Amino acid sequence: YITLDSVGRKKYYYKKRDEYNSISITSDFQQNINKAALFVFLNRTCYNGLYRVNSKNEFNVPAGAYKNPRICDQDNLRAVSQLLQGVTICCGYYTLSESFIDDKTFVYFDPPYRPLTKTASFTAYTEKAFDEEAQIALAHYIDRLTEVKKAYVLASNSDPKNSDPHDDFFDDLYQGYNIIRVNATRRINRNAYERGEVSELLISNY
């Protein structure tokens, strides 16, 4: 990949993206290793390191334009592998987490952000969109973790007041919680002029 020109890199990237999407995670160890390796490659060479899938649950992020990406950082991968020894990773809908949450648990939610404008309608990194009803359902789940589980909860989201000072969607939804507005740099946007610092929300029950 590194030795190819820009045209060759794109062809190589999309070939590997198709290969990644064709592999299912099964009991076949070597097949799973191949998919993991392809995931690392795609993450380091796709547009802005974004992870997103379409309605068919296929990875669909376009190729990036890095000059000399460090695709395989062996030291970091081995260090992360060591830290994950003995750790259980659960992949599923967020409400499945309730069974292992208690009053000693710190929970962080980073859902697809609510769009700031009507034209910025992207709400899904997976095959299912995360609309306003989903945002409300998440808030109710956070209520449950707060009131019943007594867990420490932190959530982040977009700040609607970036585009509409009168939009109190999250202020109303999370009444009684601590809401802090922080400046964050947006790096992923198809329009370069829309990147830069914006206000984002940190919502906590502590």
Side-chain angles (χ1 to χ4, degrees):
Y1 175 86
I2 297 295
T3 61
L4 299 173
D5 60 20
S6 59
V7 174
R9 283 187 174 191
K10 283 189 175 182
K11 288 182 178 179
Y12 187 91
Y13 173 87
Y14 289 113
K15 178 181 178 182
K16 293 302 178 183
R17 192 180 75 174
D18 288 342
E19 185 179 343
Y20 173 83
N21 285 326
S22 71
I23 300 175
S24 299
I25 297 177
T26 66
S27 58
D28 187 320
F29 179 77
Q30 187 57 54
Q31 183 167 283
N32 294 342
I33 290 294
N34 291 341
K35 191 173 182 73
L38 286 167
F39 174 82
V40 172
F41 168 76
L42 294 172
N43 174 256
R44 304 302 296 174
T45 57
C46 72
Y47 178 73
N48 277 359
L50 177 66
Y51 183 82
R52 183 188 66 195
V53 298
N54 59 21
S55 59
K56 297 179 181 178
N57 201 29
E58 297 173 332
F59 182 77
N60 68 346
V61 180
Y66 306 104
K67 291 183 178 180
N68 188 31
R70 187 176 185 183
I71 296 171
C72 184
D73 185 344
Q74 292 190 48
D75 291 339
N76 183 61
L77 288 172
R78 292 181 186 280
V80 171
S81 175
Q82 186 64 36
L83 288 171
L84 289 176
Q85 298 304 306
V87 173
T88 300
I89 299 176
C90 300
C91 180
Y93 202 62
Y94 65 83
T95 53
L96 297 176
S97 65
E98 185 173 352
S99 63
F100 52 82
I101 291 175
D102 59 24
D103 60 356
K104 296 180 178 62
T105 307
F106 172 74
V107 185
Y108 172 56
F109 290 105
D110 184 28
Y113 282 11
R114 181 173 180 256
L116 292 178
T117 64
K118 292 182 179 179
T119 56
S121 58
F122 176 68
T123 59
Y125 289 91
T126 67
E127 69 274 19
K128 296 180 180 180
F130 206 86
D131 56 16
E132 287 198 355
E133 287 188 6
Q135 297 283 2
I136 294 170
L138 173 60
H140 290 164
Y141 184 66
I142 290 175
D143 288 341
R144 178 170 176 77
L145 296 185
T146 299
E147 298 165 9
V148 178
K149 295 289 187 171
K150 309 298 182 183
Y152 297 90
V153 182
L154 174 67
S156 55
N157 219 304
S158 59
D159 183 359
K161 295 185 183 297
N162 282 299
S163 55
D164 182 359
H166 304 292
D167 190 334
D168 295 322
F169 179 79
F170 286 118
D171 293 87
D172 293 339
L173 188 60
Y174 288 101
Q175 286 187 33
Y177 288 85
N178 296 314
I179 300 177
I180 301 174
R181 287 174 162 83
V182 297
N183 290 330
T185 302
R186 288 281 180 87
R187 298 185 182 278
I188 299 177
N189 196 300
R190 62 183 178 181
N191 297 320
Y193 71 87
E194 292 185 4
R195 300 173 189 165
E197 279 201 351
V198 295
S199 174
E200 290 189 357
L201 303 180
L202 290 179
I203 303 157
S204 69
N205 64 358
Y206 54 87

